[in-house]
Amino acid sequence: MADASLTQPPGPAVKADAAAQDVAANPEPAETQAAPAPEVELLDGHALTAGPTAHDRALALVDLAARAAEPNPFLHPAFITAAAAEHGAEAIVVILAWRGEDRAPTALVGAFVLQRQRRATRLWTASLEGRFHDFAFLSTPLIDAACIEPVIEAVLDAIVASAMPTRLSFAMMGDEYSVMSGLKAVLNRRQTPLAVSARHRRALARSEDAAAFTPSASTRKKLRQYRRRLGEKGSVTTTRHARPLEIADALEEFLALEASGWKGRAGTAVMSDPSDTQFTRAVFPSMAETDDVVIEALRLDGKAAAIQILARSGRGYFTWKIAYDEALRDYSPGVLLVEDYTLRLMNDATVAFIDSCSHDDTGFMASLWKGRQPIADVGFDARPGEHAGTVLISAVERNLLALRGRLKSLYHRYKNGRKAAKNTGGEASEPKT
């Protein structure tokens, strides 16, 4: 099992251990030891924007992110609000678990955000999906490290008691860590099977393991060569943007740079879709107000050669998207930028890791970072017991995903083969994130 210190901040874990030791040393009757079950609110996408307590809920969610067992920047209030604006408030389900009747920020102990789904690729007619937006690259719920299992149990019970679909799926959920372990324990007690449709690992840099973000000698030599050659064309600098106004300006630079490259020509750039553009412009300046986003840029004579957007949650940073100037691709500006901010963040005592948020274990970040983040796509029924269809449906989905993976692999082999035949120079591993 992976080291829990990767995602679990030291504070809550230490407190939980100390509390457990105190109970062991001073046993009391069971009825006085058992904490009351969390109180659960089932809300829609307006939960953080409408009503007299919406602002307090948003503040509580930001507070929970700082002490959650596993951080997830895509459960930031800005992401949830923008998703509700795009898909409709009724399509987004916000589930908040509180410690009793207290509604202070520190009393929020769990947050699940789900999207109601009806997909042609699923055999069931309706489900709740933990990855509630395509731009969210992690679906792990935010749960206080001291009460993971009680929160999961209370949330599942609340879903069952409601009129919502009971079939849940979480694509891109952290695997092998405390939240997944807690989910498995709860489902085991409820005798409910957990279906895993896919597993993979993606690149990760960990501050406690210097070797995990130290490139090989040959790679370092190549990067020095790229940096020297790029420096011959002008002044090379790296800038960091974090304040709301800085984020807004740097974000527009990113959008223009991405649209000018291959993603723009392919129609996959953010600016290619008005709803994607609106979503992005709404999310990141708002995240900057709580210091939960930074935009890094490598510049040549002040002009952006590469730009990376990173979201922050707890002690982790998560790479969202990167763009680079294709006229400079022979110098691998995107790789140089990643090297710069990786070295700086990994030497920051407040940062535990950087998650690449990649869809698989390939790409240039996988070659630079040696650590790996385990990810799983899982599905289950909130109702206790085994329900006919859930396992079968998950098996069908698993086979469809495997087929899609094979077709994708064949496509990339064909595409890379053509690229290799055409290109005689340049950096083949320049970012395509």
Side-chain angles (χ1 to χ4, degrees):
M1 180 174 290
D3 185 354
S5 65
L6 170 66
T7 54
Q8 214 162 293
V14 171
K15 290 178 182 177
D17 290 342
Q21 293 171 5
D22 184 61
V23 169
N26 301 283
E28 297 179 2
E31 60 268 23
T32 63
Q33 291 184 38
E39 291 196 0
V40 177
E41 284 187 306
L42 301 178
L43 307 162
D44 64 16
H46 287 321
L48 308 178
T49 56
T53 60
H55 181 65
D56 292 338
R57 291 194 191 104
L59 292 178
L61 191 57
V62 172
D63 184 88
L64 175 60
R67 54 187 162 83
E70 299 180 40
N72 185 347
F74 307 111
L75 266 63
H76 189 280
F79 248 88
I80 300 167
T81 300
E86 179 176 338
H87 299 304
E90 68 285 348
I92 303 299
V93 178
V94 178
I95 305 178
L96 303 179
W98 301 87
R99 188 182 291 110
E101 297 181 358
D102 189 359
R103 291 298 181 268
T106 55
L108 183 64
V109 291
F112 289 59
V113 182
L114 310 153
Q115 184 182 9
R116 297 176 186 268
Q117 294 283 4
R118 285 182 173 83
R119 295 182 178 175
T121 57
R122 297 186 184 275
L123 297 182
W124 56 61
T125 57
S127 66
L128 297 175
E129 170 60 69
R131 189 183 175 205
F132 62 93
H133 195 277
D134 288 343
F135 283 166
F137 303 128
L138 188 68
S139 66
T140 307
L142 292 175
I143 306 178
D144 189 297
C147 49
I148 294 174
E149 292 183 29
V151 166
I152 294 174
E153 189 94 50
V155 167
L156 297 187
D157 286 343
I159 291 174
V160 172
S162 74
M164 294 191 299
T166 59
R167 291 190 174 96
L168 278 68
S169 58
F170 289 82
M172 296 190 185
M173 181 173 175
D175 199 7
E176 301 179 15
Y177 297 127
S178 55
V179 173
M180 182 66 81
S181 296
L183 175 62
K184 290 177 179 178
V186 170
L187 294 181
N188 184 58
R189 286 197 299 271
R190 296 164 76 93
Q191 298 184 326
T192 302
L194 175 68
V196 181
S197 57
R199 273 195 172 101
H200 70 273
R201 293 176 180 268
R202 62 196 193 192
L204 184 87
R206 299 181 60 171
S207 61
E208 63 186 36
D209 182 6
F213 62 92
T214 302
S216 65
S218 60
T219 299
R220 292 198 303 271
K221 179 179 179 181
K222 183 181 292 186
L223 293 177
R224 286 196 300 270
Q225 291 174 344
Y226 288 148
R227 197 177 296 275
R228 184 182 68 252
R229 289 171 53 201
L230 183 60
E232 292 171 355
K233 298 179 68 68
S235 174
V236 179
T237 58
T238 302
T239 58
R240 183 177 188 272
H241 311 270
R243 296 178 181 177
L245 290 179
E246 295 174 349
I247 289 293
D249 291 341
L251 181 60
E252 293 305 317
E253 277 191 290
F254 166 84
L255 293 173
L257 187 61
E258 185 191 51
S260 69
W262 69 272
K263 287 187 179 181
R265 295 189 296 275
T268 59
V270 173
M271 291 279 278
S272 300
D273 187 318
S275 62
D276 288 348
T277 308
Q278 182 176 0
F279 179 91
T280 303
R281 284 173 170 161
V283 166
F284 293 109
S286 181
M287 289 184 74
E289 295 177 0
T290 54
D291 296 323
D292 288 320
V293 66
V294 63
I295 298 181
E296 304 275 356
L298 184 78
R299 301 183 180 277
L300 179 64
D301 289 336
K303 181 182 177 183
I307 301 180
Q308 171 85 70
I309 300 175
L310 298 102
R312 185 189 70 85
S313 182
R315 298 180 60 212
Y317 278 82
F318 300 74
T319 67
W320 188 67
K321 285 182 178 291
I322 192 168
Y324 67 98
D325 186 344
E326 291 187 359
L328 301 172
R329 68 173 302 147
D330 288 350
Y331 312 99
S332 291
V335 182
L336 295 178
L337 175 61
V338 172
E339 180 189 34
D340 286 347
Y341 72 68
T342 298
L343 290 173
R344 187 178 67 255
L345 289 176
M346 291 296 92
N347 283 287
D348 184 338
T350 66
V351 179
F353 66 90
I354 313 173
D355 187 335
S356 67
C357 291
S358 300
H359 291 283
D360 51 34
D361 194 18
T362 60
F364 74 105
M365 287 183 183
S367 64
L368 290 176
W369 300 345
K370 307 307 179 187
R372 292 296 180 264
Q373 162 79 318
I375 296 293
D377 296 350
V378 301
F380 56 93
D381 201 297
R383 295 171 294 178
E386 184 172 339
H387 297 275
T390 300
V391 176
L392 174 62
I393 289 166
S394 298
V396 171
E397 286 190 329
R398 184 165 57 249
N399 290 332
L400 289 174
L401 285 169
L403 176 61
R404 185 178 69 178
R406 287 194 291 270
L407 292 174
K408 182 179 177 181
S409 177
L410 289 173
Y411 167 75
H412 283 297
R413 282 188 197 174
Y414 169 75
K415 183 177 178 181
N416 291 335
R418 292 193 61 186
K419 183 190 298 182
K422 288 183 178 181
N423 293 343
T424 58
E427 177 55 52
S429 62
E430 184 58 87
K432 299 294 185 187
T433 302

